[in-house]
Amino acid sequence: MKIAVLPGDGIGPEIVAEAVKVLKALNLKFELETAPVGGAAYEAAGHPLPESTLKLAKQADAILFGAVGDWKYDTLDRPLRPEQAILGLRKHLGLFANFRPAICYEQLVGASSLKPELVAGLDILIIRELTGDIYFGQPRGRRSAADGHFPGADEAFDTMRYTRPEIERIARVAFEAARKRGKKVTSVDKANVLETFQFWKDVVIETHRDYPDVELQHMYVDNAAMQLVKAPKAFDVIVTGNMFGDILSDEASMLTGSIGMLPSASLNDKKQGLYEPSHGSAPDIAGQGVANPLATILSAAMMLRFSLNQPEAADRIEAAVKKVLAQGLRTPDIHSAGTTRVGTVQMGDAVLKALG
Ligand code: IPM
Ligand code: MG
C-alpha cells in the first residue's frame, strides 16, 4: 500500500504533519511518499501539479492532501495557480465522488453558530459531484468586443453541463451511501431555471428506480441553503453538482462548529481516493502553529476506511479524536470558555496519546 502525501501551501504542511504522525503510530504496513503541490510546487518546479507529483498520485492507493492556495498567486495565469493542482488531480484521477460529512460532535455543540438544539446530534453527508459541471465544462473563456462578437461588449463565459452517465454514477453513490445510513437522499438542483439541472433531476429520478428502499426528495439550491440553517437535522444524504456542492459544503461545515473539523474523501470508480480537510490553506494563520489538525487527521481515518481497507484503524483514530475533545482540548477555532487552548502540534500529540 502506498500513500502519496501532498502537503501543499499555507497551513497544509503543519496539519498534514500531524496526520502523518498519527498514521505512522498505527504500525500498519504502508509506504508514505511526499511530493510538492500547489504554490509550493510552483515555487519548486514552476507548475502547481508537476508531472512527478501527478505520477506519484496515480500510482498511489491513496493521497493525503493538505491544502493549496495563497493570495500571492492570484495574479498568475490561471493554469499556473495553486487551485489547478487540486482540480487537475480530481480530473486526471477521475475522482468524481466527493464525500463531505458534517457531524456535530457532542462537545462542540456550543461552537456552532446555530442554537445548540438545532445542531446537537447532527450527522449529514454531502455528496458532491467533483469532475463535471461548470467547473470543467467547455467552452469557457473571455472575448473582447474588439473582436466583433455578439453582444458587442467584452464578456467572459463558463459552461454548465452534465452527461447522463455522470449524473447516474453520482446518484448511485448517494443511494448506496444512504442505504448504510438514514435511507434518505435530497437531490439539490436548480431545475426551475437551468436546463442542466432539470436533466440532473430527471436522471436522478430514473436512477432512483433501482433503490426503492431509499426515500428521494428534491430541493432547489436556494431553498437547500436556507433549510441547512433552519432545520439541518432534516437532511440525511445530500447529493448535488460540483458548484452547488462546493457552496453548500462550506455552509454545512459551520453547523458543526468549525470547518477545521471536517474531513473529506474524493473517490474514483477504483476506490482510489484523495483525502483532504474540507477547509483551505488559511494563509493568514500559516506558520503560527494554531491550525486545527483534526480535519486532516479525520481525513486520514476516512482514507483507512475507504481506500486502504483498515476500518479498525479508522475507528481507532475517530475514537481518539472524540477522546481529546472530551478531555477539553481545543485549537483556537473551537476554543470556548472552560476548555484548554492548544496548538496544532499539541493537538496531534494528544490524538497520538489517545490512540492507546
Ligand atoms: C473545495 C475548494 C476547491 C473547489 C478550490 C480550492 C478549487 O473550494 O475543495 O471546496 O472549489 O472545489
Ligand atoms: Mg470549497
Side-chain angles (χ1 to χ4, degrees), residues 87-140:
L87 296 173
L89 283 167
R90 289 170 185 171
K91 198 65 185 173
H92 285 293
L93 276 69
L95 304 168
F96 71 94
N98 183 215
F99 290 70
R100 296 192 165 179
I103 296 171
C104 187
Y105 289 92
E106 200 187 311
Q107 296 85 4
L108 296 185
V109 167
S112 170
S113 28
L114 294 195
K115 293 190 198 100
E117 61 270 28
L118 285 183
V119 294
L122 179 82
D123 179 354
I124 61 184
L125 174 61
I126 298 188
I127 296 185
R128 168 187 176 195
E129 198 291 326
L130 207 55
T131 52
D133 203 354
I134 197 164
Y135 267 56
F136 293 97
Q138 293 292 340
R140 57 184 283 162

Side-chain angles (χ1 to χ4, degrees), residues 100 128 135 246-247 249-250 278:
R100 296 192 165 179
R128 168 187 176 195
Y135 267 56
D246 178 43
I247 299 166
S249 60
D250 262 33
S278 284

Side-chain angles (χ1 to χ4, degrees), residues 244-309:
F244 298 158
D246 178 43
I247 299 166
L248 294 181
S249 60
D250 262 33
E251 187 190 6
S253 73
M254 267 301 117
L255 308 173
T256 70
S258 169
I259 197 167
M261 293 298 301
L262 288 202
S264 81
S266 306
L267 303 180
N268 63 19
D269 50 14
K270 299 191 288 281
K271 295 272 175 209
Q272 190 189 19
L274 182 147
Y275 298 84
E276 58 173 330
S278 284
H279 60 72
S281 55
D284 53 327
I285 58 163
Q288 297 174 20
V290 295
N292 186 347
L294 293 180
T296 316
I297 292 173
L298 290 167
S299 299
M302 287 184 95
M303 175 169 83
L304 290 161
R305 182 170 291 121
F306 288 151
S307 289
L308 303 178
N309 203 20

Side-chain angles (χ1 to χ4, degrees), residues 110-177:
S112 170
S113 28
L114 294 195
K115 293 190 198 100
E117 61 270 28
L118 285 183
V119 294
L122 179 82
D123 179 354
I124 61 184
L125 174 61
I126 298 188
I127 296 185
R128 168 187 176 195
E129 198 291 326
L130 207 55
T131 52
D133 203 354
I134 197 164
Y135 267 56
F136 293 97
Q138 293 292 340
R140 57 184 283 162
R142 285 183 183 223
R143 301 197 270 232
S144 89
D147 294 337
H149 293 290
F150 179 82
D154 293 350
E155 67 167 358
F157 54 97
D158 298 275
T159 304
M160 178 177 273
R161 60 194 308 159
Y162 265 121
T163 62
R164 180 184 294 278
E166 284 175 320
I167 302 168
E168 197 183 310
R169 68 181 178 178
I170 196 71
R172 288 194 190 282
V173 167
F175 291 130
E176 303 278 353

